[in-house]
Structure formats: structure tokens, C-alpha cells
């Protein structure tokens, strides 16, 4: 039996947030590397690997069988949280997809979340959508990480159910949802790098929108407002 799995730094970081002995689901598990890795490293952990597509579902089964983990990692084929019974897991991972998809998986599966104390997400883009869902649904962000691997910058957002201390302030809510309330508190080099890239991208998009025959003035104003937030954050960041 092969009892090691080499995970990317991104997924290893995600795994650090799964507490010992967790019963967790990994939705969109692909090869089920993450749940197998966690269960190989924690003899008390149990996992459900969910996949909506037949190919990745089969790959997940292969990984589980290869590591002889069928008693502790169950692979299920189906859409989002619908593969779960309410109360079956206490932690949830949704990683490696866009923030809008993560948000819609959470929203569509709200009725399966009553026992879920912690949700660990790693949106590839549109992180704000995930933060908004947490904000509106009584999950409080307790940690945010940003890291670069193989030329990509990834954010990991971890939220616990009904923690009292909100990371948000009324005046800065919209900016905090965009940048991440905890990432904003400690602007790392990677954070600055990401937002420098975003700055150039947003300048290009605004230019394009202004050149269009039919201009959407509301959208332009929205983008310009966000551009000014990015400029402000970078200005303050480089002063630190
Ligand atoms: N979570 C792994 C990671 O972070 O490396 C795999 C990410 S992979 C890019 C995204 C996976 O999510 C794909 O295998 C895809 O089939 C699956 N997926 C997409 N939408 C899903 C849904 N609604 N329910 C379950 N799985 C889904």
C-alpha cells in the first residue's frame, strides 16, 4: 500500500484548517487527494468526497482504493451538497473553483449545513462572492491566507459558524468584502502583487468600456470606484 500523497502547497494549506478527528466533506474533490491525505495523516478523520462528474468520480475511487481508505473516505457522485444528509459532517471544504460556483453550491445546499461548524474555501476568482455568502449566513471568517504557487495566486477563506467577533466594520464593509477583512490587516507581498495585477486589469477593462459604442455608465462608475479602493490599498500597503 502506498501511504503517502504529495499535495500542492495550496491544498496542504487548506488541509491545515481541518481539525483533528473531523468528519468532513470535500465537494468537487476531483482525485480525492485532499480527503485521502487528511485521513492518511489523521487516523480519526473521516471524509466524504463529492464529485459531480463521472471521470473525476472514478479517479477519486481509484485514489481511495489505492490507499486502502474505503472505510474512512466515501466517494459520492452528485451535485454540490445534495450528496450529503443534514448533520452528516461537521466541516466542509470547497476548493479549486470560482467564487460564484462556491457561493451557489453553498446557497443550493443550505439545508444540509445545520451540523457544519467550519467551511474552508479556496475560490480561484471572485472571492468576494464567498465572503458575501458567509456574511449573510452567520459564518464568521476566522482566517484568510494568500499564497502563490506555479505562477497563480490563491486565497483560502475559512469561516466558522456563529463566531461572535465580526471581522467587518460598517464603514469599510464593501472594501473588506473585496480584499478580505483579515488579508487587509496584514498586507503580505503576495497580496500586494495580486492587487497590482488587478489594478492593471481594471484599468484595461475601464478603458475598453469607455471605448464601447454603447457605454454602461453605471458599470463604469462601479469599476472606477473599485479602482480607487485598489489604488488606496496599494498606496497604504507600500507605505508600511
Ligand atoms: N478540489 C480540488 C482542488 O482544489 O484541487 C479539485 C478542483 S477541480 C478544478 C474542480 C472540481 O469540482 C472538478 O472535478 C469538478 O467536476 C467539480 N465540481 C464542479 N462543480 C461541482 C458541483 N456542483 N458539485 C460537485 N463537484 C463539482
Amino acid at each position: 500500500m502506498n501511504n503517502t500523497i504529495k499535495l500542492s502547497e495550496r491544498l496542504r494549506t487548506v488541509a491545515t484548517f481541518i481539525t483533528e478527528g473531523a468528519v468532513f466533506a470535500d465537494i468537487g474533490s476531483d482525485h480525492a487527494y485532499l480527503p485521502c491525505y487528511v485521513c492518511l495523516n489523521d487516523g480519526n478523520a473521516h471524509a466524504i468526497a463529492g464529485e459531480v462528474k463521472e471521470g473525476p468520480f472514478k479517479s477519486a475511487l481509484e485514489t481511495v482504493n489505492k490507499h486502502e481508505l474505503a472505510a474512512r473516505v466515501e466517494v459520492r457522485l452528485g451535485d454540490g451538497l445534495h450528496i450529503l444528509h443534514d448533520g452528516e459532517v461537521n466541516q466542509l471544504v470547497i476548493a479549486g473553483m470560482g467564487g460564484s460556483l462556491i457561493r451557489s453550491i453553498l446557497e443550493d445546499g443550505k439545508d444540509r449545513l445545520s451540523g457544519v461548524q467550519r467551511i474552508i474555501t479556496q475560490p480561484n476568482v471572485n472571492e468576494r462572492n464567498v465572503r458575501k455568502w458567509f456574511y449573510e449566513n452567520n459564518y464568521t471568517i476566522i482566517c484568510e491566507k494568500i499564497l502563490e504557487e506555479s505562477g497563480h495566486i490563491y486565497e483560502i477563506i475559512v469561516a466558522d459558524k456563529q463566531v461572535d467577533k465580526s471581522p467587518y466594520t460598517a464603514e469599510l464593509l464593501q472594501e473588506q468584502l473585496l480584499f478580505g477583512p483579515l488579508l487587509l490587516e496584514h498586507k503580505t507581498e503576495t497580496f500586494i502583487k495580486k492587487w497590482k495585477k488587478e489594478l492593471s486589469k481594471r484599468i484595461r477593462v475601464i478603458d475598453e468600456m469607455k471605448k464601447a459604442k454603447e457605454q454602461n455608465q453605471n458599470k463604469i462608475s462601479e469599476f472606477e470606484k473599485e479602482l480607487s479602493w485598489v489604488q488606496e490599498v496599494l498606496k497604504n500597503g507600500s507605505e508600511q
Side-chain angles (χ1 to χ4, degrees), residues 106-145:
L106 290 169
E107 187 60 26
D108 292 350
K110 261 183 178 178
D111 59 343
R112 314 293 157 104
L113 288 174
S114 68
V116 176
Q117 292 304 317
R118 171 166 293 184
I119 304 178
I120 304 153
T121 62
Q122 184 272 297
N124 288 337
V125 290
N126 293 329
E127 297 85 357
R128 174 165 50 185
N129 286 320
V130 178
R131 292 193 185 97
K132 268 190 186 156
W133 190 90
F134 285 148
Y135 181 73
E136 290 160 0
N137 290 279
N138 279 334
Y139 281 88
T140 304
I141 295 180
I142 54 134
C143 192
E144 291 181 304
K145 294 266 180 202

Side-chain angles (χ1 to χ4, degrees), residues 55-203:
F57 167 74
K58 286 187 178 150
S59 308
L61 281 175
E62 275 170 28
T63 310
V64 170
N65 291 333
K66 179 174 161 195
H67 296 282
E68 298 178 5
L69 282 170
R72 289 196 294 130
V73 183
E74 191 184 332
V75 185
R76 296 185 187 166
L77 180 65
D79 185 8
L81 304 185
H82 299 294
I83 58 149
L84 299 175
H85 303 295
D86 191 29
E88 213 176 9
V89 296
N90 52 36
Q91 298 181 32
L92 190 67
V93 175
I94 314 181
M97 31 184 130
S100 311
L101 179 55
I102 293 177
R103 184 192 163 95
S104 73
I105 288 174
L106 290 169
E107 187 60 26
D108 292 350
K110 261 183 178 178
D111 59 343
R112 314 293 157 104
L113 288 174
S114 68
V116 176
Q117 292 304 317
R118 171 166 293 184
I119 304 178
I120 304 153
T121 62
Q122 184 272 297
N124 288 337
V125 290
N126 293 329
E127 297 85 357
R128 174 165 50 185
N129 286 320
V130 178
R131 292 193 185 97
K132 268 190 186 156
W133 190 90
F134 285 148
Y135 181 73
E136 290 160 0
N137 290 279
N138 279 334
Y139 281 88
T140 304
I141 295 180
I142 54 134
C143 192
E144 291 181 304
K145 294 266 180 202
I146 187 161
L147 62 98
E148 184 169 17
E149 186 173 41
S150 310
H152 295 282
I153 293 179
Y154 300 105
E155 291 188 16
I156 294 165
I157 308 170
V158 186
D160 281 357
K161 196 172 194 174
Q162 288 153 355
V163 177
D164 284 342
K165 199 174 165 288
S166 170
Y168 295 106
T169 55
E171 323 77 68
L172 287 176
L173 178 63
Q174 293 310 321
E175 289 92 321
Q176 289 170 319
L177 288 169
L178 178 65
F179 298 106
L182 304 182
L183 293 177
L184 264 179
E185 280 176 15
H186 303 284
K187 297 178 201 121
T188 63
E189 260 178 46
T190 311
F191 176 92
I192 297 293
K193 186 170 177 181
K194 169 179 173 149
W195 287 103
K196 278 186 176 164
K197 279 188 186 171
E198 282 291 324
L199 181 78
S200 321
K201 212 189 287 174
R202 278 157 201 263
I203 289 172

Side-chain angles (χ1 to χ4, degrees), residues 10-11 26-30 50-53 56 78-80 95-97 101 105 122:
R10 172 183 67 84
L11 282 180
D26 179 31
I27 302 298
S29 199
D30 199 354
E51 246 305 328
V52 75
K53 286 193 192 143
D79 185 8
M97 31 184 130
L101 179 55
I105 288 174
Q122 184 272 297

Side-chain angles (χ1 to χ4, degrees), residues 210 215-222 224:
K210 286 184 172 167
Q215 290 186 9
N216 182 338
Q217 202 46 54
N218 287 342
K219 211 161 182 188
I220 293 175
S221 304
E222 187 62 27
E224 284 181 333

